[in-house]
Amino acid sequence: MKTLVHLLLVIFILLCSDSIYAQAHRAPDTIYANDHQQVALFFPAPIRQAVTGAPHMVFTYNKDRPQYFGLLQAKAGVVSNLFVIDQQGNIFSFVLKFREELPHFYYFFTGKDAVGREAPLKKDAVATAKAKSSPYLERLSEHFLRRAKGSLRRQKTSGVVLRVKDIVFFNENFFLVMELENSSGISYEPDQLDFYISTKKQGKRKSMQTLPLEILYAHSFPEKVLAGTTDRFVVVLPKFTLPDNKEITTRLFEKHGARNIELKLLKRHINGGSAGK
């Protein structure tokens, strides 16, 4: 009888512990902050973009070298909100309120706490594009790769430079001749490459509306760019139109690293490419 009582008591304690743990780790709808203490917010991936709804709520994060956390402070004022997008496309949304005495000084979030995704995650997009290889696209890509000169756009992160050398529109497809230069002392392993049509930044706010572009074919996409070397490759995208208020967002993610690169292409870059000959 005592054994049964002890067993029931252990089960009761475990159930209560699980309930308390779940409540403690439940993502809050409202986060409180003040102007004399820091509140840290940790996310499952480095922060790509964040914006608050009012100037008296300030959320700071590293824009040059993306990190997994940001710091929140607030002055007394109206209730506001915070939107955060991490580099995996997860969208987080919170209500912000000022309070002199804070209930918590740090919060940890997972992908399950996101209210949505900026765009569906496209795993192994480049590998899938390689599988769609055709002799026709391969020959054209090699031709445009050899003749590309100059540079239309570049973006550098921690010694790694992503360039768009040329953009060629030919036979209802866009051929993007790209280049990865690794001037750091560590090899760079590209993992995932994504393209989106997104709304251009307007003031301090930016629309989260994006349209993913399918990669039809990837030619000579490098598995590893050694330190001090440069590799060129071609990405083939389907025909698209780009209004003046839109831009192409290119995101390259590093495998087992945080040297992720985001590069923007405007309408003038698309029009500044070469003619397909």
Side-chain angles (χ1 to χ4, degrees):
M1 183 68 180
K2 288 184 178 180
T3 302
L4 179 59
V5 172
H6 288 161
L7 179 60
L8 291 174
L9 181 60
V10 170
I11 293 174
F12 176 76
I13 293 173
L14 289 175
L15 290 175
C16 289
S17 299
D18 288 343
S19 177
I20 294 173
Y21 178 87
Q23 291 178 12
H25 288 76
R26 185 179 301 157
D29 295 325
T30 302
I31 296 178
Y32 297 93
N34 58 35
D35 57 358
H36 57 277
Q37 293 170 307
Q38 296 279 6
V39 177
L41 278 60
F42 294 84
F43 296 90
I47 299 171
R48 180 170 62 81
Q49 183 182 347
V51 61
T52 58
H56 63 278
M57 302 287 185
V58 179
F59 184 73
T60 58
Y61 62 101
N62 196 327
K63 298 179 181 179
D64 298 322
R65 303 188 67 175
Q67 295 175 318
Y68 289 79
F69 72 96
L71 299 175
L72 177 67
Q73 282 193 312
K75 294 182 179 181
V78 297
V79 175
S80 186
N81 64 335
L82 168 67
F83 283 107
V84 176
I85 306 176
D86 67 19
Q87 292 194 348
Q88 292 182 347
N90 294 309
I91 301 173
F92 300 87
S93 177
F94 312 100
V95 175
L96 300 182
K97 291 184 179 181
F98 176 86
R99 179 183 283 186
E100 285 288 350
E101 299 295 330
L102 301 181
H104 302 286
F105 296 104
Y106 52 85
Y107 298 85
F108 292 89
F109 306 105
T110 69
K112 294 181 180 179
D113 298 322
V115 297
R117 293 192 57 81
E118 184 181 26
L121 184 63
K122 301 190 297 178
K123 294 183 177 179
D124 301 324
V126 174
T128 302
K130 286 182 178 179
K132 297 178 181 180
S133 172
S134 70
Y136 170 74
L137 291 178
E138 184 177 355
R139 288 194 301 270
L140 283 175
S141 297
E142 184 62 31
H143 169 69
F144 296 138
L145 186 67
R146 288 197 307 267
R147 77 172 198 175
K149 298 179 181 179
S151 178
L152 293 176
R153 191 73 163 168
R154 68 188 293 273
Q155 185 63 45
K156 183 176 182 179
T157 299
S158 302
V160 180
V161 181
L162 178 64
R163 292 188 182 91
V164 177
K165 303 285 291 182
D166 198 6
I167 301 174
V168 184
F169 181 68
F170 183 76
N171 201 18
E172 300 302 308
N173 290 320
F174 280 100
F175 293 77
L176 278 69
V177 182
M178 309 188 74
E179 182 178 86
L180 260 177
E181 177 187 352
N182 185 5
S183 59
S184 72
I186 306 174
S187 296
Y188 184 88
E189 294 185 59
D191 182 31
Q192 181 176 322
L193 181 65
D194 294 324
F195 291 86
Y196 303 88
I197 295 179
S198 53
T199 304
K200 291 168 62 176
K201 186 175 181 180
Q202 298 176 352
K204 294 184 178 180
R205 301 189 179 189
K206 184 176 181 180
S207 171
M208 292 180 291
Q209 295 180 353
T210 61
L211 175 66
L213 288 171
E214 180 186 7
I215 298 177
L216 299 178
Y217 173 61
H219 180 72
S220 297
F221 187 77
E223 294 185 2
K224 180 184 293 187
V225 182
L226 300 177
T229 65
T230 300
D231 282 296
R232 288 187 183 183
F233 59 97
V234 176
V235 175
V236 183
L237 302 176
K239 178 183 177 181
F240 59 84
T241 57
L242 194 65
D244 292 336
N245 67 329
K246 301 289 184 179
E247 62 189 6
I248 300 296
T249 299
T250 304
R251 297 188 194 125
L252 178 65
F253 297 88
E254 181 183 19
K255 187 176 183 180
H256 308 307
R259 292 179 293 177
N260 305 320
I261 306 175
E262 181 173 291
L263 182 149
K264 304 288 187 180
L265 293 171
L266 306 178
K267 187 174 182 179
R268 59 185 173 86
H269 299 125
I270 305 296
N271 295 337
S274 303
K277 295 181 180 180

